[in-house]
Amino acid sequence: MRRLPPLNALRAFEAAARNLSFTKAAGELHVTQAAISHQIKALEEWLGMPLFRRQNRSLLLTDAGQAYLPPLRESFDRIQDATAKLRQRDRSGALTVGTFTSFAAKWLVPRLGRFATAHPDIEVRLAINDVLVDFAADAVEVAIRYGRGDWKGLYAERLMTEVVFVVCSPKLLDGPAPLQRPEDLRHHTMLHDDLPEDWDTWLEAAGVGGIKARRDLAFNHSEMVLQAAIDGLGVALGRSVLVADDLAAGRLVKPFDLELPTQAAYYIACPEGTQDRPKVKALRDWVTSEVVRDAAAAATAAE
């Protein structure tokens, strides 16, 4: 057990001794002169010896005060330096971001260049995992998750909802079996992934009967399904957030208007109490700005 004097009394003594003035110390610490005097008296009583001498309206250090000031100043300087370094580390350096494969590949990574330009002092490290990240075990500071946002012990900020619809390569709109109506799907391979909103659900919503959703090609990652669709291997159910860039670039098209809502949304999440740490907040603010940017681009495209 360390037997230390009260910290406020030490701060008061260091400021008064350095300035040789209770008045200046009070101004520096934003307290009254009486408070400084009270703290000094308490410290002298704790130590059992005087630290100051008052002589002709001037303030002088006793021998004990002169011996006490240098190591105390050095200690405060070291605390200040350590604090500054810690705060700087929280504003710059590496930031580990957890997310899942499809979102990283189709949304996050293509946009990270803008974050790097806006925050050149922050190095983003992606921790890709298709199960819910364990912030403590995986040393992840912030994550982008897909779900309902009800994660105990986490701050979760809703980013985007999405809808599911059919997408395909533009070349499937023409050719020997052009994809013009939902019924034309019977002539095409239906690509599958692990979406809860599956082909049977979409076909039922479209009022299409007599078509069996064959699992000719199945994948466990959405970005693989979308790449297969881009390559013309079949028709996919695309999630609006993940296919936005491919639609804008013309790599995919949306042949039908029918959209299915999803039950979940994208959230940016972090342990409670860490959401306003400078690096975490920088990423939160940037992701939010990208969501707004995407919404504005979609609105412009729809005009």
Side-chain angles (χ1 to χ4, degrees):
M1 292 289 294
R2 290 187 175 92
R3 189 167 180 267
L4 299 174
L7 179 59
N8 284 339
L10 292 176
R11 292 180 68 211
F13 166 73
E14 192 275 337
R18 177 165 35 83
N19 291 290
L20 288 178
S21 167
F22 283 13
T23 301
K24 290 181 179 179
E28 183 178 306
L29 298 180
H30 305 289
V31 296
T32 64
Q33 183 176 341
I36 294 294
S37 179
H38 175 76
Q39 292 288 353
I40 297 298
K41 182 179 179 182
L43 179 60
E44 289 177 330
E45 290 177 352
W46 195 94
L47 293 170
M49 63 189 72
L51 298 172
F52 291 98
R53 294 199 313 268
R54 293 168 180 80
Q55 184 176 7
N56 297 328
R57 295 186 176 181
S58 63
L59 190 65
L60 300 175
L61 287 168
T62 63
D63 290 344
Q66 291 182 43
Y68 202 31
L69 178 59
L72 196 58
R73 285 191 65 178
E74 181 183 355
S75 297
F76 277 119
D77 288 343
R78 292 180 66 182
I79 292 172
Q80 178 176 286
D81 290 344
T83 303
K85 289 177 181 177
L86 185 63
R87 296 187 67 180
Q88 180 60 31
R89 188 179 71 177
D90 208 34
R91 286 177 168 80
S92 62
L95 176 67
T96 303
V97 180
T99 191
F100 49 99
T101 307
S102 299
F103 185 82
K106 303 302 292 185
W107 194 92
L108 184 58
V109 171
R111 291 162 173 77
L112 273 180
R114 288 195 285 270
F115 181 81
T117 298
H119 300 280
D121 53 338
I122 299 177
E123 174 195 350
V124 173
R125 297 177 179 174
L126 293 183
I128 307 299
N129 199 327
D130 289 325
V131 298
L132 287 182
V133 65
D134 184 326
F135 284 88
D138 299 331
V140 170
E141 295 160 275
V142 61
I144 297 176
R145 286 183 166 186
Y146 187 71
R148 299 179 184 270
D150 51 352
W151 300 295
K152 186 177 180 180
L154 296 184
Y155 168 89
E157 181 178 348
R158 188 169 176 156
L159 296 173
M160 298 173 279
T161 56
E162 64 182 358
V163 292
V164 173
F165 47 80
V166 175
V167 293
C168 65
S169 167
K171 62 188 177 184
L172 294 190
L173 301 182
D174 302 311
L179 192 59
Q180 298 176 347
R181 302 175 302 160
E183 290 79 1
D184 296 329
L185 286 166
R186 70 179 71 251
H187 305 298
H188 295 270
T189 298
M190 298 180 193
L191 305 171
H192 296 260
D193 66 3
D194 295 329
L195 272 175
E197 299 76 24
D198 60 15
W199 273 111
D200 288 331
T201 306
W202 191 92
L203 290 169
E204 181 180 355
V208 178
I211 299 179
K212 182 175 177 58
R214 307 179 312 277
R215 296 185 67 85
D216 298 311
L217 280 175
F219 305 86
N220 63 348
H221 287 145
S222 294
E223 82 281 4
M224 297 172 66
V225 170
L226 296 180
Q227 187 58 53
I230 290 170
D231 293 338
L233 299 181
V235 184
L237 285 177
R239 292 156 60 172
S240 55
V241 170
L242 301 186
V243 301
D245 289 352
D246 291 322
L247 290 173
R251 292 184 291 269
L252 290 173
V253 294
K254 179 184 175 185
F256 314 120
D257 292 333
L258 178 63
E259 298 177 343
L260 297 181
T262 61
Q263 300 301 312
Y266 294 90
Y267 290 81
I268 187 163
C270 58
E272 286 180 346
T274 68
Q275 63 267 26
D276 290 323
R277 287 178 53 197
K279 286 189 295 186
V280 173
K281 190 174 187 305
L283 186 80
R284 286 175 49 221
D285 290 346
W286 172 77
V287 169
T288 301
S289 72
E290 287 294 317
V291 171
V292 172
R293 179 190 181 110
D294 286 354
T300 300
E303 292 177 356

